[in-house]
């Protein structure tokens, strides 16, 4: 496999779907799937950093995930807490900056503190920006952005797209170039609605815990061979 390093996506986003089904297929509790999914996430983050991708956004917990069973939500919150506390050295070793996107105010206080501490500790790292979408919803992000713009006194009659982007959750990152979704479903699920306007999409039936670095590399290679026109007519030869 040969990946054209001059044509890498600057920003990759992943909907990490299939943890629960992975566990069910093995007659294991859903929590086992989330544990395995976290291991996969770490491997893919390392692969993205090694490739030279500048931004990676992972859909970890949506605004709709609160509807899940209380025990599962509690486990996920504890998993996030443990990961943020235990993986700081990994982020330092790989020069990875952590950023949170989503409504932090609705998260448990200890998770809020973990995220803020992790962002502070990694703020000067510049190899890869890892956006963790926790309590995130695309519509919610846009609505919060509008409220921020209103509070800042923005003149909406003269507001441009680039200016509005400054009020969203990751203004320092470019739009998403490549969106990958595992688990076989083919929908956005309220993920990064503003940022994926001209993204390339890859859907795979692979359940997230089984998603490998090799498959990730194949998806990156596929991206490098696509012609992106952003609505313009195909160039004539």
């Amino acid at each position: 496999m040969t990946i054209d390093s001059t044509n890498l996506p600057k920003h990759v986003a992943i909907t990490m779907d299939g943890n629960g089904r992975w566990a069910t297929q093995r007659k294991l509790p859903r929590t086992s799937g989330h544990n395995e999914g976290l291991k996969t996430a770490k491997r893919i983050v390392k692969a993205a950093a090694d490739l030279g991708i500048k931004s990676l956004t992972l859909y970890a917990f949506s605004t709709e995930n609160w509807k899940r069973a209380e025990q599962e939500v509690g486990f996920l919150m504890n998993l996030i807490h443990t990961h943020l506390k235990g993986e700081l050295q990994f982020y330092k070793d790989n020069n990875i900056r952590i950023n949170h996107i989503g409504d932090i105010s609705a998260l448990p206080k200890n998770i809020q503190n973990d995220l803020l501490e992790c962002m502070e500790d990694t703020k000067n790292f510049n190899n890869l920006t890892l956006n963790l979408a926790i309590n995130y919803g695309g519509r919610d992000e846009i609505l919060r952005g509008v409220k921020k713009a209103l509070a800042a006194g923005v003149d909406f009659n003269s507001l441009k797209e680039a200016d509005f982007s400054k009020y969203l959750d990751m203004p320092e990152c470019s739009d998403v170039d490549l969106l990958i979704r595992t688990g076989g479903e083919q929908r956005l699920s309220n993920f990064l609605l503003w940022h994926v306007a001209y993204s390339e999409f890859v859907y795979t039936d692979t359940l997230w815990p089984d998603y490998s670095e090799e498959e990730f590399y194949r998806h990156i290679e596929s991206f490098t061979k696509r012609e992106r026109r952003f609505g313009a007519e195909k160039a004539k030869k």
Side-chain angles (χ1 to χ4, degrees):
M1 183 186 306
T2 302
I3 297 176
D4 180 2
S5 61
T6 66
N7 195 32
L8 290 172
K10 295 183 178 67
H11 188 173
V12 177
I14 304 179
T15 300
M16 306 178 292
D17 195 14
N19 290 344
R21 280 172 286 158
W22 182 92
T24 299
Q25 288 176 3
R26 290 159 177 77
K27 295 182 171 53
L28 297 170
R30 288 176 62 87
T31 52
S32 296
H34 295 312
N35 270 323
E36 288 301 315
L38 183 58
K39 295 175 185 176
T40 299
K42 185 175 179 179
R43 292 196 300 270
I44 299 305
V45 168
K46 180 69 164 63
D50 289 346
L51 273 178
I53 292 168
K54 300 312 295 181
S55 300
L56 176 66
T57 301
L58 299 181
Y59 205 4
F61 190 90
S62 76
T63 49
E64 291 74 35
N65 285 157
W66 297 107
K67 300 173 186 176
R68 294 185 178 185
E70 183 177 350
Q71 182 180 6
E72 183 176 358
V73 170
F75 179 85
L76 286 168
M77 289 296 114
N78 186 63
L79 196 63
I80 292 168
H81 168 72
T82 302
H83 173 77
L84 290 171
K85 285 294 187 183
E87 296 296 344
L88 181 58
Q89 192 59 50
F90 169 75
Y91 296 133
K92 288 182 176 179
D93 290 344
N94 292 282
N95 201 18
I96 295 170
R97 182 175 76 89
I98 299 301
N99 182 46
H100 169 258
I101 64 171
D103 182 5
I104 195 171
S105 67
L107 290 168
K109 196 64 180 179
N110 66 322
I111 303 296
Q112 294 183 41
N113 292 336
D114 293 339
L115 285 166
L116 293 172
E117 288 176 12
C118 201
M119 286 189 285
E120 177 64 24
D121 289 339
T122 63
K123 66 181 181 181
N124 294 321
F125 299 157
N126 58 13
N127 182 28
L128 170 73
T129 294
L130 175 60
N131 300 299
L132 298 175
I134 303 172
N135 193 34
Y136 176 86
R139 290 180 174 180
D140 178 70
E141 180 190 17
I142 293 170
L143 183 58
R144 286 186 289 104
V146 170
K147 291 177 179 178
K148 291 175 188 176
L150 284 169
V154 169
D155 178 4
F156 276 75
N157 290 320
S158 60
L159 184 64
K160 295 180 172 57
E161 288 183 11
D163 295 327
F164 180 64
S165 293
K166 298 173 185 176
Y167 296 96
L168 298 176
D169 288 352
M170 44 183 179
E172 71 286 353
C173 293
S174 60
D175 283 348
V176 174
D177 297 303
L178 174 63
L179 175 64
I180 299 168
R181 178 165 186 153
T182 64
E185 303 292 351
Q186 298 187 18
R187 56 175 179 266
L188 279 176
S189 297
N190 200 19
F191 188 36
L192 302 176
L193 300 182
W194 179 272
H195 311 277
V196 299
Y198 282 101
S199 300
E200 300 295 317
F201 288 74
V202 169
Y203 297 106
T204 174
D205 291 334
T206 304
L207 302 178
W208 178 246
D210 290 330
Y211 189 70
S212 65
E213 295 96 317
E214 290 73 21
E215 187 169 4
F216 178 66
Y217 294 144
R218 289 199 299 272
H219 291 157
I220 299 299
E221 182 186 32
S222 171
F223 171 88
T224 66
K225 296 177 180 178
R226 297 189 185 189
E227 181 182 10
R228 306 180 73 202
R229 301 197 298 274
F230 300 95
E233 185 180 359
K234 184 176 181 179
K236 297 179 180 179
K237 294 183 179 179

